[in-house]
Amino acid sequence: MKKTNGFSLSILFLLLSANVLLAQPGRTISNSFHQYQQATLQEKIFTHTDKDTYLAGEIIWFKIYNLDAATHLFADVSKVAYVEMLDAANKAVLQSKVSLKAGRGAGSLYLPSALPSGSYTFRVYTHWMKNFTADYFFHKTIRVLNTLQEEKAPAPVAATNAIQFFPEGGRLVSGLPSKLAFRAVDGTGKGLKFRGAIVNQDNDTVARFEPGRFGIGAHSFLPEKGATYRAFIRPEQGKPFTAPVPEMLDEGYVLSVTQEGTGLRAVVRTNIPGRDSLYLFIHGGRKSLSQSAAVVEGQAAFFIGADNLPEGISHITLFDRKCQPLCERLYFRKPVKGISLTATTNQHQYLNRQKVKLEIAGFDENRRPVSADFSVSVFKTDSLAHAEEDIRSYLWLSSELKGKIENPSYYLTSGDEQAADLLMLTHGWRRFKWRALLENKPATHAHLPEVEGHVVSARLLDPVTLAPTARRTAYLSVPGRRVQFYSAESDTSGLLKFYTRDFYGPSEVILQTDQRWDSLKVEVLSPFSTERSSFASRPFVQQTGSTADLLQSSIAMQLRNIYAGKFLNRELLPPVDSSNFFLKADKTYLLDDYVRFSTMEEVLREYVPEISLAIRRKSYQLKMLDYEIKQFLPTPPLILLDGVPVFDDGNKIIAFDPLKVQKLEVVNTPYIYGSAVFDGIASFTTYKGDLGGFEVHPKATVVDYEGMQLQREFYAPMYEGDINLSRIPDYRNTLYWSPLNRTDGEGKASFDFYTSDMSGNYTIVVQGIAEGGRPGMTITSFDVNSK
């Protein structure tokens, strides 16, 4: 047997130890990232509106897709979405709450006739999303034209051209060649065509460059130590201007990523002397990988196989051995797996008020049927319309990048890989901060997800000093025939959270403490986010589209509101759980089943043996008989009138007119509700659920409050048989809207609807998500002609 050399074993041991040490920081980064992903749900919302341009007086119809940001699967966590319309000053002009079920929601917004013309930001988010920056909210531009009032044309705003530079990897470093990307836009946010040059402090030109598509481009740049640079830009239209070039570091690292064969090659260059270990961490969706390499003669190289990269955007981050991020850039792998949606009508041309048969089909990349959740819109095509992005480009690109992207669908439908890479270089984005992630500290979130329904927030204050009051119980009631009574205990900041259930529609809400023991002030807080994002709506142009189209649309809108207004504003209450918070009463008394007495005292004494009625010092006191222990409970029960607590021992309810009360429900055992304990419950319900004129305590807080949106029914008349039977004018320009649909086992779904009296071309838009989180959309059209 050959004898092993001891020196060789020592070398082998050192090499193995070096490899272990080399891999350790990479493992730390990977473990911290996975721990963060598992502990922090990221929601992503896409909203499909029936169209993108409206007249004041019309209705916006929308479908909300609430998804897991990493997988694009429906996120069944939040049960409420918040919808807002913001004006040019970022002030909310419309707000609403929409119920979500299994990540899906549908709603509508009526645009008031007094709403001024302009470009508005339509944004949607959940309560949980408020824990993160508002840039994560869904945003889109909605254009509103008001034809009902005379408006002054807005003062013209001088178009301002601008350019930004983005060194690949993040920073320029003295003496190291870099790729310097740039993005130039005009005053409307669209790509700018120009010729540019970079000059140094001596006005010597060191680089010349021009943009490619959408004002984006890149060029090689070698910054010299001690030099300063600026850019001169000469647009094809407009005045020349100058712009700063990012400052450079004297020492540091630069990262270059290029496609090579079947993968990516990442090369790191540094002017810091010595040998060091570097770590490359790549993540996208739920997929991640890490590699390590040693710096040799100022350079380190990595190779990433294409199969290891997820579809969509990957984040490539370079770390040193101390797990400090050094460089970062994005890479886009065009999605291959997806769904193809088709929309087919039984004809290409129709007459007014003729039936249209529409068939939707969904297929995967292998033409196999898929089950897809989708929404359908059919609207009149005219010069007023403008196209916003679709669900594919939003989920794959816009929601993952910072800043406005011009024509995002181009990067998905074209094979222009260079343009896609330039987009990645000029739109940096990340959903977390590395420093916070690597500290592995448990995340603290101020806003919990609304997993059961809308959470009403309020603050409990001292009525004199207005200082927050902690550890006290307050109550919220929504008066009505369905008892909606909630309790909450204030935290150290006086914050109250009332977890409501099936709270729909506008209502009067009453908040109070038990006035027998304290008289604290309850202040209701708005659930809408006050944070504003960097999203900028497309600038509004006063004269858009032809005058004829605008006039026709205006007349049609007014006729719809006159002749079909009662159908357009029909709102339905969704199915709700009608059970009380105490579930089932021990005894229910329907007072119409008994001889009616004129006083409440007679009713309780004659018919309700569970309640003892005593008079002490000219005051009534109610007590509940617990049949289990066969004795009366020591303190008065919780007395409710239409869900509103009456905090006294019995005088007020005794004085109430019993002829207004339809039923009495009794819980004759102690009941624990939140932090409160009641010696039974006596719940009175009036015929109308409106308190019957009962006066609430003067120190209670009474406010008008909007619960979740009632479901407005989309109006689509069905002209069966003789279409001339109806003499009501039909000037619908949105013929059909169906938000909550799903294809069958064969990947198909079908719909019937009728055309209106408005002739012209109509657009069909279908957007949806298939199993596996694969988005898809399709657009087609048909014509409607007069007889």
Side-chain angles (χ1 to χ4, degrees), residues 53 143 145 382-386 540-551 553:
T53 300
R143 290 171 59 245
L145 303 171
D382 55 30
S383 60
L384 303 179
H386 77 287
F540 178 70
V541 180
Q542 181 74 17
Q543 185 61 39
T544 56
S546 72
T547 303
D549 284 340
L550 190 60
L551 179 61
S553 297

Side-chain angles (χ1 to χ4, degrees), residues 232-466:
F232 281 91
I233 308 299
R234 186 179 296 278
E236 286 188 359
Q237 295 181 349
K239 296 180 180 180
F241 63 95
T242 61
V245 174
E247 295 182 359
M248 60 179 163
L249 300 175
D250 291 334
E251 291 186 334
Y253 299 82
V254 296
L255 173 66
S256 173
V257 177
T258 56
Q259 284 190 313
E260 183 176 299
T262 59
L264 298 180
R265 178 163 293 280
V267 177
V268 180
R269 294 181 177 86
T270 181
N271 58 4
I272 299 175
R275 295 171 61 91
D276 198 2
S277 300
L278 299 177
Y279 306 87
L280 201 67
F281 184 75
I282 303 137
H283 71 90
R286 294 289 180 191
K287 210 170 184 181
S288 67
L289 64 113
S290 60
Q291 292 185 9
S292 59
V295 177
V296 179
E297 296 181 357
Q299 186 169 304
F302 305 84
F303 181 80
I304 307 104
D307 293 340
N308 293 322
L309 295 170
E311 292 184 337
I313 293 176
S314 293
H315 299 248
I316 303 173
T317 310
L318 182 72
F319 293 87
D320 63 14
R321 67 170 65 230
K322 296 180 181 179
C323 296
Q324 296 298 313
L326 305 173
C327 301
E328 189 166 61
R329 68 106 83 196
L330 305 181
Y331 174 77
F332 181 68
R333 182 184 175 193
K334 186 177 176 180
V336 176
K337 296 180 180 180
I339 59 167
S340 296
L341 290 172
T342 62
T344 307
T345 55
N346 59 326
Q347 297 175 203
H348 296 297
Q349 294 189 343
Y350 297 87
L351 298 176
N352 298 128
R353 302 196 181 192
Q354 186 177 353
K355 180 185 284 189
V356 179
K357 289 183 175 292
L358 173 64
E359 184 171 288
I360 308 299
F363 304 93
D364 65 13
E365 63 276 7
N366 297 314
R367 300 301 296 173
R368 293 175 300 195
V370 294
S371 177
D373 188 287
F374 65 95
S375 44
V376 183
S377 176
V378 183
F379 58 92
K380 190 173 186 297
T381 313
D382 55 30
S383 60
L384 303 179
H386 77 287
E388 283 288 315
E389 66 183 301
D390 59 74
I391 190 170
R392 298 172 306 176
S393 59
Y394 180 80
L395 294 182
W396 288 119
L397 289 172
S398 299
S399 62
E400 296 295 325
L401 297 175
K402 194 170 186 178
K404 187 76 173 176
I405 303 174
E406 184 178 351
N407 193 8
S409 61
Y410 171 80
Y411 303 97
L412 292 176
T413 57
S414 74
D416 195 343
E417 295 182 355
Q418 182 182 9
D421 198 52
L422 290 173
L423 182 71
M424 297 299 104
L425 290 172
T426 54
H427 290 76
W429 186 246
R430 196 192 317 123
R431 289 180 172 267
F432 56 86
K433 294 181 179 179
W434 276 115
R435 178 177 295 179
L437 183 147
L438 292 169
E439 288 177 351
N440 292 325
K441 292 182 179 179
T444 55
H445 300 297
H447 308 284
L448 296 177
E450 295 175 301
V451 297
E452 293 183 349
H454 177 50
V455 177
V456 178
S457 297
R459 199 172 299 280
L460 199 57
L461 305 173
D462 183 283
V464 178
T465 65
L466 298 183

Side-chain angles (χ1 to χ4, degrees), residues 8-163:
S8 299
L9 285 175
S10 300
I11 294 296
L12 179 62
F13 176 76
L14 289 173
L15 288 173
L16 291 172
S17 300
N19 286 334
V20 171
L21 292 173
L22 197 65
Q24 188 61 40
R27 244 187 256 117
T28 299
I29 296 166
S30 182
N31 291 341
S32 296
F33 176 76
H34 291 147
Q35 180 178 328
Y36 172 83
Q37 272 200 324
Q38 292 174 359
T40 306
L41 168 71
Q42 292 276 359
E43 291 177 316
K44 181 190 294 187
I45 280 180
F46 174 77
T47 305
H48 177 196
T49 57
D50 63 309
K51 51 188 179 181
D52 302 310
T53 300
Y54 300 84
L55 300 186
E58 290 188 324
I59 296 172
I60 299 176
W61 301 91
F62 56 85
K63 157 78 175 286
I64 298 171
Y65 296 80
N66 187 31
L67 310 170
D68 183 313
T71 64
H72 296 165
L73 299 174
F74 282 102
D76 189 16
V77 178
S78 294
K79 298 300 187 292
V80 183
Y82 295 87
V83 180
E84 296 183 281
M85 287 265 289
L86 309 180
D87 62 15
N90 267 331
K91 180 182 178 181
V93 295
L94 293 174
Q95 295 178 319
S96 190
K97 312 173 190 77
V98 177
S99 173
L100 296 176
K101 293 182 180 179
R104 303 155 178 87
S108 60
L109 286 178
Y110 171 74
L111 300 176
S113 57
L115 189 67
S117 298
S119 287
Y120 292 84
T121 297
F122 183 89
R123 73 173 189 171
V124 188
Y125 53 93
T126 66
H127 197 255
W128 174 252
M129 292 170 71
K130 288 163 60 178
N131 291 300
F132 313 97
T133 172
D135 287 320
Y136 299 155
F137 299 172
F138 172 81
H139 298 84
K140 73 177 293 182
T141 299
I142 293 290
R143 290 171 59 245
V144 176
L145 303 171
N146 193 315
T147 60
L148 302 176
Q149 59 186 21
E150 186 176 352
E151 296 179 322
K152 293 183 179 180
V157 179
T160 303
N161 298 325
I163 188 170

Side-chain angles (χ1 to χ4, degrees), residues 492-697:
T492 54
S493 65
L495 185 64
L496 297 160
K497 290 186 179 297
F498 298 97
Y499 294 87
T500 68
R501 179 169 53 92
D502 293 334
F503 179 15
Y504 288 94
S507 184
E508 190 175 69
V509 170
I510 300 173
L511 302 98
Q512 59 184 314
T513 56
D514 189 338
Q515 305 294 341
R516 291 173 295 185
W517 320 119
D518 55 48
S519 56
L520 298 173
K521 179 181 179 180
V522 185
E523 180 183 75
V524 180
L525 305 178
S526 171
F528 293 94
S529 174
T530 57
E531 184 183 355
R532 299 298 183 249
S533 72
S534 58
F535 178 86
S537 288
R538 186 176 301 174
F540 178 70
V541 180
Q542 181 74 17
Q543 185 61 39
T544 56
S546 72
T547 303
D549 284 340
L550 190 60
L551 179 61
Q552 184 188 48
S553 297
S554 177
I555 294 173
M557 178 270 295
Q558 294 177 65
L559 288 173
R560 283 197 307 274
N561 289 339
I562 292 172
Y563 290 104
K566 63 180 180 180
F567 303 112
L568 294 172
N569 294 309
R570 181 183 294 165
E571 293 180 326
L572 304 175
L573 178 66
V576 298
D577 182 358
S578 60
S579 62
N580 294 320
F581 70 94
F582 50 80
L583 298 181
K584 186 178 180 181
D586 294 320
K587 189 67 179 289
T588 298
Y589 295 91
L590 300 177
L591 299 191
D592 285 339
D593 293 344
Y594 302 86
V595 175
R596 301 305 300 259
F597 290 106
S598 59
T599 67
M600 189 67 73
E601 180 178 0
E602 291 176 295
V603 171
L604 296 179
R605 290 189 186 279
E606 294 295 329
Y607 301 137
V608 188
E610 293 85 0
I611 295 179
S612 168
L613 186 60
I615 302 177
R616 295 180 180 178
R617 297 179 182 179
K618 298 182 180 181
S619 293
Y620 288 94
Q621 187 176 71
L622 274 62
K623 288 191 177 182
M624 193 69 68
L625 176 62
D626 187 337
Y627 284 119
E628 293 184 2
I629 61 176
K630 297 181 179 180
Q631 64 182 30
F632 288 99
L633 299 175
T635 61
L638 169 66
I639 302 170
L640 297 173
L641 179 62
D642 290 336
V644 178
V646 181
F647 288 122
D648 74 350
D649 293 343
N651 286 323
K652 291 182 179 179
I653 200 66
I654 291 297
F656 189 71
D657 184 357
L659 298 178
K660 296 180 179 180
V661 177
Q662 183 188 35
K663 68 177 177 179
L664 166 62
E665 295 171 284
V666 173
V667 177
N668 62 350
T669 55
Y671 193 89
I672 300 174
Y673 193 43
S675 60
V677 180
F678 303 107
D679 277 348
I681 300 172
S683 178
F684 297 82
T685 303
T686 64
Y687 286 95
K688 296 182 179 180
D690 60 356
L691 296 178
F694 182 83
E695 293 186 7
V696 299
H697 197 284

